Each structure stands twice: as C-alpha cells, then as structure tokens.
Amino acid sequence: MASTAIFGSSRHRSVPTANVSPPSWFSQTGTMSWRARSSLGAVEQRGATIRPALGRGFAVEPFLFIKPLSDPWGGTRLLAGRHPTTMTQPAPEDDAPDEIVHLISGMCQASPAALRLYGHPLLLTFAEAINGPDFVPFNDAIFVKKPGLGGSVSWHQDGVTHWDHPEWDEGIHGFSFQVQLCVSTPANGLWAVPGSHKVGNIGIPAVVAANGGDDRLPDAVPLFCDAGGVMIANRQVLHGSFANTSPDPPISITFGCHRGGGRCPPSALPRRDFIAVRTLCWSRG
C-alpha cells in the first residue's frame, strides 16, 4: 500500500491507497530521460550507441535542460511570471555536466505506461471526489532532479488566469497529482505553505523579503512519501522545491484536473484533445 497526501484542501492528511507506480512506469521514465538529446542536438549518445533522440517528431520539444543546481524560472517572466523570486543556487562540483534534464513533457505520447497512469481509475476516482463527475484532466510534466545536480523550482502558485474572476474561489485553478517514482524527502521534494490556497494571489517577493530574503519560508512544510505514493495539491497553494544537493533521486510525474465546463469559466478549460485521453484510459481500466 502507498499513501496519498491531500494538501491544500479543508484537510491535510495521508490516506491509504493502492500503489499506482509499478516498475514499468519507473523503467519507461528512466528510458525517456536517457533518450534526451545530447550536445549533438538531434541525437542522443550513450557510449558507442547513437540514435535519434526521443521526441524529434513531437510538436513541442519534450526536454527542458538546465544548468546543474540552478533555478531556471525564478525571477524571470517565463511561465506567465509566476516565479517572481530566485531560489538559492549552490555551486555544482567541478566535474558536473554543463546541462542536465530538468523536465520531460509529452509523457502520454512517449510512454504507454505513463498514458495509463494518466488515466488510472483510482486517480480519476479521487478527481471525481474533489471536482464532481464533470472534470477534465490537463497537462503533464515529469520532474527529474538528479542527486547533487537537480535544479530548484522557485516559490509560486500554479494558477495565473483567474485571480480576479468574479466567481473566484479556492478551487478555481484546479489541483495537481504528483506521483512519486522514488522516495520523496524534505531534502529532495516539494515544500508548501498550508492554507495559502485560500488567500488569493500572494505577493511572493514581499513574503520572501519579510523573511529577510531567505527562501526557506518559516510556514512551509515538506510533502514527502514513499515510492509509489501520490500527493494531491491545490494549484493555488504556495509551493516550491530546493536544488537537490542530497544523494536521493526524486522523479515526480505531475498532472492535474480542472473542473468541468459547467463550473469553470471557459478560458480555464484545457485543450479538448485531453478529454479523449481520459476517456481512452478509463475504458481500458
């Protein structure tokens, strides 16, 4: 049995669930990371093996590369500027590579196992319990934070579109699943501020400044669980993660669910092609 940590709701607790992370998902995710493009560009190389890198025919580049232990989004206008402050960026070892994989997109296209995880009946049951029967899955991202190399994700709230909506409530931006393929610890995993999803759009620079510029916010708590566990977080909760200087390798498969069209403004709905993914996976069980 694994546990599901429910975060950013009227409760913050762990409940027992069936393990949703069999070895095939772990191995296929590892293969996706290995098949990232190399410095050669359109190919990947491992020893004497050279072949086309994964995703060369995809509409969107599936791999995000960053400098080791860096903060790629903090203090930039990327991702709608939702990461306005910068996390501490430790100096990597002298023999560290120039770049590493930080994020993998397009998992439903690249991995049959990930596609089935996306539509796992148990996870969809949780989604229905939170959003009601009218809900739409959206997005996917696999965070890979290699030991001693993995970068940080600066403090942010995922929601960006509906802070000023006249029907705003604490659930309008949906929620996210994080499936942990490795043990998630305070050193390598996600941190969040309980209750922050209820207060609206937070002025993050002011929060960090009030903490003396220290990015270790005093009200934040770590979200951790065993391999195969699932964390559920409101997308409005203030959260982030630090550069992974630990020896532990977290791999987190992240995807979420919006409310359906009857209870969410049309501009908040994801692309309709993801509705077909949900229906396909549900029918296959």
Side-chain angles (χ1 to χ4, degrees), residues 60-141:
V60 177
E61 169 60 49
F63 299 104
L64 172 64
F65 286 80
I66 66 170
K67 296 182 180 299
L69 301 178
S70 67
D71 177 2
W73 299 315
T76 74
R77 296 304 303 168
L78 297 172
L79 302 179
R82 68 186 184 188
H83 301 263
T85 61
T86 303
M87 302 291 263
T88 300
Q89 302 179 75
E93 298 292 336
D94 292 339
D95 59 352
D98 292 335
E99 59 179 14
I100 58 170
V101 175
H102 180 64
L103 190 74
I104 306 175
S105 303
M107 70 177 192
C108 291
Q109 186 173 358
S111 167
L115 176 64
R116 284 157 178 76
L117 173 63
Y118 194 93
H120 194 290
L122 181 60
L123 298 184
L124 294 180
T125 299
F126 267 95
E128 183 176 8
I130 294 170
N131 285 336
D134 185 10
F135 68 90
V136 184
F138 76 101
N139 199 22
D140 65 81

Side-chain angles (χ1 to χ4, degrees), residues 42-209:
V43 300
E44 55 86 13
Q45 181 173 6
R46 185 168 182 172
T49 301
I50 298 178
R51 61 178 176 176
L54 180 69
R56 296 313 89 199
F58 289 11
V60 177
E61 169 60 49
F63 299 104
L64 172 64
F65 286 80
I66 66 170
K67 296 182 180 299
L69 301 178
S70 67
D71 177 2
W73 299 315
T76 74
R77 296 304 303 168
L78 297 172
L79 302 179
R82 68 186 184 188
H83 301 263
T85 61
T86 303
M87 302 291 263
T88 300
Q89 302 179 75
E93 298 292 336
D94 292 339
D95 59 352
D98 292 335
E99 59 179 14
I100 58 170
V101 175
H102 180 64
L103 190 74
I104 306 175
S105 303
M107 70 177 192
C108 291
Q109 186 173 358
S111 167
L115 176 64
R116 284 157 178 76
L117 173 63
Y118 194 93
H120 194 290
L122 181 60
L123 298 184
L124 294 180
T125 299
F126 267 95
E128 183 176 8
I130 294 170
N131 285 336
D134 185 10
F135 68 90
V136 184
F138 76 101
N139 199 22
D140 65 81
I142 302 175
F143 285 89
V144 181
K145 302 182 68 171
K146 294 183 177 180
L149 297 171
S152 58
V153 179
S154 59
W155 293 108
H156 66 288
Q157 296 169 285
D158 288 330
V160 295
T161 55
H162 287 83
W163 295 116
D164 298 322
H165 194 276
E167 299 178 18
W168 181 89
D169 62 41
E170 62 190 53
I172 198 171
H173 285 107
F175 73 90
S176 294
F177 292 115
Q178 262 205 356
V179 180
Q180 305 298 327
L181 298 192
C182 304
V183 176
S184 176
T185 71
N188 69 20
L190 194 68
W191 287 68
V193 178
S196 54
H197 64 295
K198 299 181 179 182
V199 299
N201 194 3
I202 296 171
I204 299 173
V207 172
V208 174

